[in-house]
Amino acid sequence: MNYNELKARVQMGEEFQFYYLKASYWISKNKNGYYLTRVRDSFSQSFLSSEELFKKGQIYGHKISEIWSEIDI
């Protein structure tokens, strides 16, 4: 899957688990918004839209697009 496909699938409501630097992350959605969560400590960032998640969501100060090549889905 490429980055644009991930964005499109999240926008359609799919949820994903992925790994970065051996840590597990979860992109999820509910009626209140979209979430980017680090699983080990449940640290979560919340967003009103999938677009906002991909624009503002960060992992160790990096957007998902910046570290995409290092992410394992």
Side-chain angles (χ1 to χ4, degrees), residues 2-67:
N2 66 39
Y3 177 71
N4 288 328
E5 184 179 351
L6 172 71
K7 285 176 56 176
R9 290 172 68 175
V10 168
Q11 185 177 25
M12 290 186 298
E14 285 191 56
E15 298 184 340
F16 288 92
Q17 181 178 15
F18 64 91
Y19 298 88
Y20 177 66
L21 298 178
K22 298 183 181 181
S24 177
Y25 293 85
W26 187 252
I27 293 175
S28 60
K29 177 184 187 264
N30 67 25
K31 66 179 181 170
N32 297 317
Y34 292 79
Y35 302 88
L36 175 59
T37 303
R38 185 174 51 222
V39 175
R40 77 169 177 248
D41 59 2
S42 298
F43 174 75
S44 188
Q45 300 168 58
S46 60
F47 306 94
L48 296 176
S49 67
S50 63
E51 184 176 305
E52 183 182 26
L53 182 151
F54 287 104
K55 283 184 180 179
K56 296 182 178 180
Q58 294 194 4
I59 299 172
Y60 296 112
H62 300 285
K63 295 177 185 176
I64 294 172
S65 62
E66 297 170 338
I67 58 173

